[in-house]
């Protein structure tokens, strides 16, 4: 991925919902000006959520999501409906497409209640305006973009005739959420012209020819802050720091891949601030305080306790994969116990986590902020501790306190 491309996790997620044959896919194609979604008269053509990154004026970079019909039937249909509802957890703007020749149903009213419960800005699109009797078209058009009493908006369109599609796009843009990140990635921790050393191990698990997303985003954030960044491998860090020391230059911070924490901590002088990409992202799009509190659950793990290890992305599993191999081994070694491990990845995350003694989540670089905070809230609401890869690795290697020194308000939790 090029450095100038907006990551999917940073794009506004616009999700289209509705009953089968309401015209969701047709509306999506009309709004985007592309054939992003398959259109068919056969009910249930969209069987799984379909994601597409694109530029959508006047919004800019977005993620468009087409979902299965919320009225699907049968055992398989119920699974499809569940997948549609799961999309809500990452939705920034919801678009409910209603067949205007039929009107709203109980299923659609229930979906609006879910929008409201989750605080999702939404828009109701009555489609198939071209199929209405001519005598009703004038009145319908005059009310095509009126406010809805449930804090949404309504608009009548014809996807096939492209009627009111531009107005629809402008209404969607008007619902764009404000930036809700409480903290930036790193900008508030450094000053212009300060030097930040980024430790990026290159091994067989590293994507060939590119940096992983947290590394890219951190470099971009350092550049935007007017500071200097230098990426080195963990094997070169010690010599690099000694070189700068001889030149009388002291780096402001070292940020490392969490898996190299132990070696990097040993090679980094105590007077240089040290943290990890994973911890930065726990603060940026998650809840660093909750994650730090959650890691304390390691000290009460017993044999047979269930631990969920969750990742936000899907990737080819290596024999020494961090989630399924290294993390369980670190936990067994630290606790001296033999808990039971379960694993999820990508969009899969259980609504019910009550059976777990601890949830350990990756940095969530592939998840948008809304979904990451939803997962944290699931755990908190059910009284289950949740922590982060980087925080857990820092704990088991004995350097948690040091890795939290950039965040004095969080560091107090350990004192």
């Amino acid at each position: 991925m090029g450095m100038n491309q907006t990551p999917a996790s940073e794009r506004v997620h616009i999700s289209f919902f509705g009953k089968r044959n309401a015209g969701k896919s047709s509306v999506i194609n009309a709004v985007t000006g592309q054939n992003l979604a398959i259109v068919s008269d056969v009910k249930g053509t969209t069987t799984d959520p379909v994601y597409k990154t694109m530029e959508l004026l006047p919004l800019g970079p977005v993620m468009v999501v087409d979902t299965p019909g919320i009225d699907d039937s049968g055992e398989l249909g119920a699974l499809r409906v569940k997948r549609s509802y799961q999309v809500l957890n990452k939705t920034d703007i919801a678009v409910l497409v209603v067949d205007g020749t039929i009107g709203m149903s109980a299923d659609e009213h229930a979906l609006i209640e879910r929008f409201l419960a989750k605080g999702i800005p939404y828009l109701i699109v009555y489609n198939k305006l071209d199929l209405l009797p001519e005598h009703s078209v004038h009145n319908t058009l005059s009310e095509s973009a009126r406010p809805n009493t449930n804090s949404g908006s309504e608009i009548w369109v014809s996807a096939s005739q492209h009627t009111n599609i531009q107005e629809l796009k402008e209404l969607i843009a008007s619902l764009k959420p404000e930036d809700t990140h409480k903290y930036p990635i790193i900008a508030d921790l450094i000053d212009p012209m300060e030097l930040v050393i980024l430790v990026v191990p290159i091994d067989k698990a590293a994507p060939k020819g590119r940096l992983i997303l947290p590394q890219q985003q951190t470099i971009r954030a350092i550049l935007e802050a007017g500071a200097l960044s230098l990426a080195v491998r963990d094997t070169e860090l010690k010599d690099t720091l000694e070189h700068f020391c001889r030149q009388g230059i002291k780096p402001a911070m070292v940020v490392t891949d969490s898996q190299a924490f132990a070696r990097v901590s040993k090679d980094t002088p105590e007077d240089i601030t040290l943290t990890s990409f994973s911890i930065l992202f726990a603060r940026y799009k998650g809840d660093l305080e909750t994650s730090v509190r959650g890691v304390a659950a390691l000290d009460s793990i017993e044999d047979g306790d269930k631990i969920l290890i969750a990742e936000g992305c899907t990737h080819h599993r290596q024999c020494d994969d961090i989630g399924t191999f290294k993390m369980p081994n670190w936990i067994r070694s630290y606790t001296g116990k033999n808990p039971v491990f379960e694993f999820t990845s990508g969009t899969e995350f259980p609504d019910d986590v009550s059976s777990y003694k601890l949830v350990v989540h990756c940095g969530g670089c592939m998840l948008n902020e809304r979904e990451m905070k939803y997962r944290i809230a699931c755990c908190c609401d059910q009284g289950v501790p949740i922590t982060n890869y980087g925080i857990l690795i820092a704990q088991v290697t004995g350097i948690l306190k040091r890795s939290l020194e950039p965040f004095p308000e969080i560091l107090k939790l350990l004192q």
Side-chain angles (χ1 to χ4, degrees):
M1 186 187 74
M3 286 286 288
N4 61 339
Q5 290 183 312
T6 303
S9 59
E10 297 296 314
R11 292 172 180 258
V12 176
H13 283 50
I14 307 170
S15 301
F16 288 75
F17 300 90
K19 295 170 66 175
R20 292 174 294 172
N21 278 17
K24 296 188 308 297
S25 299
S26 296
V27 171
I28 289 175
N29 290 343
V31 166
T32 62
Q34 302 179 31
N35 291 323
L36 297 185
I38 298 174
V39 177
S40 170
D41 291 332
V42 178
K43 282 189 174 184
T45 301
T46 303
T47 58
D48 286 292
V50 177
Y51 297 83
K52 177 66 176 179
T53 58
M54 63 176 300
E55 296 284 328
L56 181 63
L57 296 177
L59 260 176
V62 300
M63 172 74 81
V64 174
V65 188
D66 187 12
T67 65
I70 59 171
D71 62 332
D72 213 334
S73 58
E75 184 177 345
L76 186 57
L79 181 59
R80 292 170 179 168
V81 172
K82 180 180 179 181
R83 289 184 179 274
S84 290
Y85 287 147
Q86 287 175 335
V87 171
L88 288 171
N89 301 328
K90 65 184 70 179
T91 297
D92 296 307
I93 300 172
V95 179
L96 174 58
V97 179
V98 177
D99 186 335
T101 66
I102 299 174
M104 294 275 286
S105 68
D107 287 335
E108 289 155 331
H109 281 292
L111 188 55
I112 289 174
E113 292 301 318
R114 288 180 180 249
F115 297 158
L116 293 170
K118 291 181 176 290
I120 302 172
Y122 70 94
L123 172 65
I124 303 172
V125 179
Y126 292 97
N127 188 29
K128 306 184 182 180
L129 177 62
D130 55 304
L131 300 182
L132 292 179
E134 288 188 12
H135 68 272
S136 65
V137 170
H138 176 75
N139 291 336
T140 299
L141 283 173
S142 67
E143 299 179 352
S144 64
R146 57 188 174 83
N148 179 19
T149 55
N150 289 329
S151 70
S153 295
E154 298 177 352
I155 186 170
W156 282 83
V157 306
S158 168
S160 62
Q161 303 294 321
H162 276 244
T163 307
N164 280 346
I165 295 302
Q166 181 58 38
E167 290 79 1
L168 170 57
K169 290 166 68 174
E170 292 173 357
L171 271 178
I172 293 174
S174 72
L175 297 178
K176 181 179 180 180
E178 297 294 328
D179 184 3
T180 56
H181 292 291
K182 186 176 181 180
Y183 298 102
I185 295 175
I186 196 172
D188 60 327
L189 306 176
I190 54 178
D191 292 323
M193 298 308 295
E194 285 190 324
L195 175 62
V196 181
I197 305 292
L198 306 176
V199 182
V200 182
I202 302 296
D203 55 28
K204 62 182 180 181
K208 188 173 180 61
R210 64 184 175 91
L211 299 177
I212 62 175
L213 189 55
Q215 296 160 1
Q216 293 184 41
Q217 289 186 259
T218 304
I219 291 173
R220 176 61 183 263
I222 293 169
L223 291 174
E224 290 178 346
L228 311 175
S229 65
L230 175 65
V232 302
R233 293 178 293 184
D234 53 326
T235 53
E236 300 161 344
L237 175 63
K238 185 175 181 180
D239 289 341
T240 300
L241 291 173
E242 290 176 353
H243 167 78
F244 281 115
C245 181
R246 289 193 297 269
Q247 302 298 319
I249 300 172
K250 177 185 174 183
M253 181 180 295
V254 171
V255 182
T256 182
D257 182 286
S258 298
Q259 296 183 69
F261 242 150
R263 176 171 184 167
V264 170
S265 178
K266 181 180 178 181
D267 290 343
T268 303
E270 290 290 335
D271 61 343
I272 296 178
T273 301
L274 171 67
T275 194
S276 75
F277 294 104
S278 187
I279 290 176
L280 289 178
F281 273 76
R283 186 182 76 131
Y284 174 58
K285 65 170 56 179
D287 187 328
L288 183 56
E289 179 176 340
T290 296
S291 295
V292 171
R293 292 185 185 278
V295 79
L298 280 178
D299 294 329
S300 58
I301 294 295
E302 298 293 343
D303 292 337
D305 283 343
K306 288 174 60 178
I307 296 177
L308 175 65
I309 297 180
E311 294 186 340
C313 63
T314 55
H315 58 271
H316 176 68
R317 301 289 186 183
Q318 304 276 350
C319 61
D320 57 351
D321 178 71
I322 182 173
T324 57
F325 180 77
K326 291 181 180 179
M327 200 63 65
N329 281 347
W330 277 319
I331 292 173
R332 293 189 192 101
S333 176
Y334 178 84
T335 62
K337 304 295 182 180
N338 190 29
V340 175
F341 293 95
E342 294 184 2
F343 308 91
T344 63
S345 62
T347 59
E348 299 300 320
F349 189 82
D351 293 326
D352 184 358
V353 296
S354 59
S355 64
Y356 297 107
K357 186 67 175 288
L358 174 65
V359 174
V360 184
H361 206 291
C362 70
C365 65
M366 299 301 293
L367 304 177
N368 66 350
E369 183 188 12
R370 179 179 283 272
E371 181 167 12
M372 190 67 240
K373 289 189 173 177
Y374 161 77
R375 294 184 177 195
I376 294 171
C378 272
C379 295
C380 292
D381 291 345
Q382 296 173 52
V384 177
I386 179 170
T387 193
N388 164 280
Y389 275 21
I391 293 166
L392 186 142
I393 295 171
Q395 173 74 359
V396 301
T397 53
I399 59 169
L400 180 59
K401 182 177 179 181
R402 183 180 186 189
S403 67
L404 293 176
E405 286 177 356
F407 322 105
E409 71 284 0
I410 302 297
L411 190 59
K412 293 177 182 178
L413 299 176
L414 305 182
Q415 298 172 346

